[in-house]
Amino acid sequence: MKNIIIKRIYDAPSPDDGYRILIDRLWPRGMKKENAHCDEWDKDLAPSNELRQWFGHIPERFDVFVQRYIEELKVKTQDLERILKISETRQICLLYAAKDEKYNQAVVLKSVLESM
């Protein structure tokens, strides 16, 4: 498996990013699709609307968010395995729009993928 990295979608794309996957349920504000340089937009791997709204990127809720998001991901094994298959030959870059680099779904998804 190649590396899996995470990056804000608002950061400049780099050739070193590899295969770029946006993992937000909503398209990022102010980002034109042609400027995103995404290889795919996988809304299904994003947290549910209910979980996303409940979390609200409040750091004190992150531990519970992690548990709930992992539960949601347990039924998405096909999507997760497909991403891992891509990672056999290319680096994966999980893109997210949140301002907080420590408390977001990309951190959780990266951890889940690396533990598979």
PDB file of all heavy atoms in Angstrom, residues 75-83:
ATOM      1  N   VAL A  75     -20.299  -0.219   7.155  1.00  0.00           N
ATOM      2  CA  VAL A  75     -21.153  -0.735   6.084  1.00  0.00           C
ATOM      3  C   VAL A  75     -20.667  -0.290   4.704  1.00  0.00           C
ATOM      4  O   VAL A  75     -21.317  -0.557   3.705  1.00  0.00           O
ATOM      5  CB  VAL A  75     -22.632  -0.325   6.291  1.00  0.00           C
ATOM      6  CG1 VAL A  75     -23.178  -0.907   7.572  1.00  0.00           C
ATOM      7  CG2 VAL A  75     -22.791   1.180   6.263  1.00  0.00           C
ATOM      8  N   LYS A  76     -19.544   0.354   4.652  1.00  0.00           N
ATOM      9  CA  LYS A  76     -19.012   0.872   3.383  1.00  0.00           C
ATOM     10  C   LYS A  76     -17.744   0.135   2.972  1.00  0.00           C
ATOM     11  O   LYS A  76     -16.827   0.708   2.397  1.00  0.00           O
ATOM     12  CB  LYS A  76     -18.743   2.368   3.511  1.00  0.00           C
ATOM     13  CG  LYS A  76     -19.944   3.090   4.090  1.00  0.00           C
ATOM     14  CD  LYS A  76     -20.149   4.408   3.541  1.00  0.00           C
ATOM     15  CE  LYS A  76     -21.450   4.903   4.164  1.00  0.00           C
ATOM     16  NZ  LYS A  76     -21.927   6.066   3.779  1.00  0.00           N
ATOM     17  N   THR A  77     -17.704  -1.144   3.253  1.00  0.00           N
ATOM     18  CA  THR A  77     -16.487  -1.916   2.997  1.00  0.00           C
ATOM     19  C   THR A  77     -16.099  -1.931   1.517  1.00  0.00           C
ATOM     20  O   THR A  77     -14.911  -1.900   1.206  1.00  0.00           O
ATOM     21  CB  THR A  77     -16.618  -3.358   3.518  1.00  0.00           C
ATOM     22  OG1 THR A  77     -17.793  -3.943   2.974  1.00  0.00           O
ATOM     23  CG2 THR A  77     -16.689  -3.385   5.034  1.00  0.00           C
ATOM     24  N   GLN A  78     -17.079  -1.963   0.619  1.00  0.00           N
ATOM     25  CA  GLN A  78     -16.735  -1.974  -0.809  1.00  0.00           C
ATOM     26  C   GLN A  78     -16.004  -0.700  -1.205  1.00  0.00           C
ATOM     27  O   GLN A  78     -15.003  -0.752  -1.922  1.00  0.00           O
ATOM     28  CB  GLN A  78     -17.985  -2.143  -1.669  1.00  0.00           C
ATOM     29  CG  GLN A  78     -18.466  -3.569  -1.749  1.00  0.00           C
ATOM     30  CD  GLN A  78     -19.615  -3.706  -2.727  1.00  0.00           C
ATOM     31  OE1 GLN A  78     -20.538  -2.898  -2.720  1.00  0.00           O
ATOM     32  NE2 GLN A  78     -19.551  -4.729  -3.556  1.00  0.00           N
ATOM     33  N   ASP A  79     -16.495   0.441  -0.736  1.00  0.00           N
ATOM     34  CA  ASP A  79     -15.832   1.710  -1.039  1.00  0.00           C
ATOM     35  C   ASP A  79     -14.436   1.754  -0.439  1.00  0.00           C
ATOM     36  O   ASP A  79     -13.482   2.195  -1.087  1.00  0.00           O
ATOM     37  CB  ASP A  79     -16.646   2.894  -0.506  1.00  0.00           C
ATOM     38  CG  ASP A  79     -17.880   3.178  -1.332  1.00  0.00           C
ATOM     39  OD1 ASP A  79     -17.824   3.022  -2.557  1.00  0.00           O
ATOM     40  OD2 ASP A  79     -18.893   3.568  -0.734  1.00  0.00           O
ATOM     41  N   LEU A  80     -14.318   1.306   0.791  1.00  0.00           N
ATOM     42  CA  LEU A  80     -13.013   1.319   1.466  1.00  0.00           C
ATOM     43  C   LEU A  80     -12.026   0.394   0.754  1.00  0.00           C
ATOM     44  O   LEU A  80     -10.868   0.769   0.537  1.00  0.00           O
ATOM     45  CB  LEU A  80     -13.168   0.913   2.931  1.00  0.00           C
ATOM     46  CG  LEU A  80     -14.006   1.863   3.799  1.00  0.00           C
ATOM     47  CD1 LEU A  80     -14.277   1.229   5.152  1.00  0.00           C
ATOM     48  CD2 LEU A  80     -13.331   3.202   3.948  1.00  0.00           C
ATOM     49  N   GLU A  81     -12.476  -0.783   0.374  1.00  0.00           N
ATOM     50  CA  GLU A  81     -11.600  -1.732  -0.319  1.00  0.00           C
ATOM     51  C   GLU A  81     -11.189  -1.202  -1.690  1.00  0.00           C
ATOM     52  O   GLU A  81     -10.065  -1.417  -2.134  1.00  0.00           O
ATOM     53  CB  GLU A  81     -12.283  -3.089  -0.423  1.00  0.00           C
ATOM     54  CG  GLU A  81     -12.353  -3.795   0.919  1.00  0.00           C
ATOM     55  CD  GLU A  81     -13.205  -5.053   0.911  1.00  0.00           C
ATOM     56  OE1 GLU A  81     -13.788  -5.406  -0.145  1.00  0.00           O
ATOM     57  OE2 GLU A  81     -13.298  -5.689   1.982  1.00  0.00           O
ATOM     58  N   ARG A  82     -12.092  -0.495  -2.355  1.00  0.00           N
ATOM     59  CA  ARG A  82     -11.762   0.100  -3.650  1.00  0.00           C
ATOM     60  C   ARG A  82     -10.659   1.146  -3.499  1.00  0.00           C
ATOM     61  O   ARG A  82      -9.713   1.195  -4.293  1.00  0.00           O
ATOM     62  CB  ARG A  82     -13.019   0.738  -4.261  1.00  0.00           C
ATOM     63  CG  ARG A  82     -12.804   1.308  -5.643  1.00  0.00           C
ATOM     64  CD  ARG A  82     -14.070   1.945  -6.177  1.00  0.00           C
ATOM     65  NE  ARG A  82     -14.552   3.036  -5.334  1.00  0.00           N
ATOM     66  CZ  ARG A  82     -14.024   4.256  -5.320  1.00  0.00           C
ATOM     67  NH1 ARG A  82     -13.001   4.554  -6.098  1.00  0.00           N
ATOM     68  NH2 ARG A  82     -14.510   5.193  -4.529  1.00  0.00           N
ATOM     69  N   ILE A  83     -10.742   1.954  -2.456  1.00  0.00           N
ATOM     70  CA  ILE A  83      -9.707   2.964  -2.200  1.00  0.00           C
ATOM     71  C   ILE A  83      -8.372   2.268  -1.905  1.00  0.00           C
ATOM     72  O   ILE A  83      -7.322   2.672  -2.405  1.00  0.00           O
ATOM     73  CB  ILE A  83     -10.096   3.881  -1.020  1.00  0.00           C
ATOM     74  CG1 ILE A  83     -11.413   4.599  -1.302  1.00  0.00           C
ATOM     75  CG2 ILE A  83      -8.972   4.859  -0.686  1.00  0.00           C
ATOM     76  CD1 ILE A  83     -11.421   5.541  -2.443  1.00  0.00           C
TER      77      ILE A  83
END
